[in-house]
Amino acid sequence: NQAGIPSDNTLAINNDNLALVAMNSSMYAHNLAGDSIHFNESVVFLRPFVGGGAFSFYYDPKLFYDPVEDRFIMALLKDFDPENSEVIICFSSTNDPADPWYIYHLPGNPLDNNRWTDFPCIAVTADKLYFTANLIIPDVSWQVGFDGSIIWEMDKKAGFNGESDIQATLYSDIRYDGKFIRNLHPIQGADGIAEEMFFLSNRNFDVINDTLFIARMINDDVTVTPVILDTPYGVPPNARQLDTDINNPESCLQTNDARVLGGILFEDEIQFVANTNDPQTGFSAIYHGHVFLSFR
């Protein structure tokens, strides 16, 4: 499997109809107008792309196309242990992903407390790139090893210009009522560029819950506001497919949990999507939520 398991597909398309696709360990570009492969080699592997070592793992890519700067951004992770974990941020030097990229490395154990970085997400404002992730305790599963979510804030224009310092600032210890909020997901602007940055979280392992947490970046500080949803959500069961053996749980498609997986901000409304369960059928389902930001 060239992509890896899970494949962690991500996609971005620029204004010249170049589609950039990345999977767990590789990247591919396609010219949609000419229906042709864009890279000289059809697939570019992430390890040599970032100049990585032969015995390290490079995975979980996330792609974004900035329509104002007309450039691509890719974030990915390196390794899954505290000694070697890294966050790698890549900025395209032009609107052509076949041209050189500027590549930056951030620590995957940023608090120097024996943790590694998992579950990356990205979003941008006019001048900043935001990267969110979870810190994981080593040698246990990600489900029980969670030890806080983090936010990296970077100077987007410095990255696109290939400057030596992208002025990365770390925000950590993000809590509500004394407890970490988990799986912070940055919210994109409806046209790609967010006017200000919000992050969504929920109680992703609860069987049923109606609370959504909205984190907001204000004056170099992260504030958290709980919102009660009209429709509750809950952790989904594994998904049944056409060939699923209902007597064998291992044959189902793993859905992980009920975390927020995407969202956009349009005017004063956030629309978001997540996994959930359907209480009417007991099956896994998609949650499409709307939140009006009355406190904005």
Side-chain angles (χ1 to χ4, degrees):
N1 187 323
Q2 192 177 74
I5 299 173
S7 58
D8 289 325
N9 307 66
T10 180
L11 167 71
I13 302 175
N14 73 5
N15 291 333
D16 291 335
N17 286 313
L18 287 178
L20 191 59
V21 180
M23 293 162 282
N24 209 313
S25 59
S26 60
M27 182 168 57
Y28 169 82
H30 197 86
N31 186 326
L32 299 177
D35 191 22
S36 59
I37 297 171
H38 186 68
F39 289 151
N40 289 334
E41 298 180 6
S42 60
V43 173
V44 172
F45 289 95
L46 299 182
R47 178 183 284 112
F49 178 80
V50 299
F55 299 104
S56 287
F57 296 92
Y58 298 84
Y59 62 100
D60 274 10
K62 294 292 182 290
L63 287 170
F64 181 82
Y65 171 68
D66 188 314
V68 175
E69 301 295 331
D70 192 23
R71 306 281 188 87
F72 290 101
I73 298 172
M74 180 169 64
L76 65 147
L77 301 178
K78 170 185 172 287
D79 290 328
F80 30 80
D81 62 275
E83 292 75 21
N84 299 296
S85 176
E86 286 185 0
V87 173
I88 302 177
I89 306 294
C90 311
F91 296 86
S92 68
S93 62
T94 73
N95 66 353
D96 186 344
D99 285 339
W101 290 58
Y102 303 120
I103 299 172
Y104 301 88
H105 299 258
L106 300 175
N109 182 19
L111 304 178
D112 196 23
N113 62 345
N114 196 39
R115 302 292 182 262
W116 60 277
T117 294
D118 190 27
F119 187 56
C121 300
I122 56 175
V124 304
T125 62
D127 57 349
K128 301 292 185 183
L129 166 65
Y130 290 90
F131 172 97
T132 64
N134 295 331
L135 295 181
I136 304 297
I137 300 169
D139 301 321
V140 294
S141 70
W142 61 265
Q143 289 92 339
V144 300
F146 171 76
D147 194 39
S149 292
I150 58 170
I151 301 170
W152 283 104
E153 179 187 71
M154 291 155 272
D155 185 328
K156 183 183 74 174
K157 293 183 184 295
F160 282 133
N161 290 333
E163 297 178 16
S164 59
D165 184 4
I166 54 173
Q167 302 175 36
T169 300
L170 178 70
Y171 297 86
S172 61
D173 198 34
I174 303 166
R175 301 172 185 258
Y176 179 76
D177 197 23
K179 298 179 180 179
F180 286 130
I181 59 174
R182 183 170 184 159
N183 305 318
L184 282 170
H185 202 294
I187 300 304
Q188 304 279 10
D191 62 355
I193 307 298
E195 294 180 7
E196 63 177 308
M197 191 50 55
F198 293 90
F199 311 85
L200 296 191
S201 176
N202 60 14
R203 298 299 191 199
N204 58 302
F205 285 125
D206 284 2
V207 174
I208 186 169
N209 202 305
D210 60 2
T211 302
L212 181 75
F213 298 98
I214 302 178
R216 184 184 187 187
M217 189 73 69
I218 302 178
N219 298 325
D220 298 325
D221 191 22
V222 181
T223 64
V224 180
T225 301
V227 173
I228 303 303
L229 300 168
D230 294 334
T231 302
Y233 60 85
V235 62
N238 286 342
R240 300 181 187 180
Q241 302 175 90
L242 289 176
D243 60 350
T244 293
D245 178 357
I246 61 174
N247 297 313
N248 179 13
E250 297 298 322
S251 69
C252 296
L253 181 66
Q254 189 176 33
T255 51
N256 290 336
D257 53 51
R259 74 185 70 178
V260 174
L261 293 171
I264 61 169
L265 172 64
F266 179 69
E267 296 180 346
D268 285 329
E269 183 184 66
I270 291 176
Q271 295 195 35
F272 68 95
V273 291
N275 289 337
T276 190
N277 61 59
D278 183 343
Q280 302 298 319
T281 65
F283 294 170
S284 58
I286 297 170
Y287 191 105
H288 179 195
H290 301 250
V291 179
F292 182 74
L293 301 176
S294 59
F295 57 83
R296 191 180 181 194

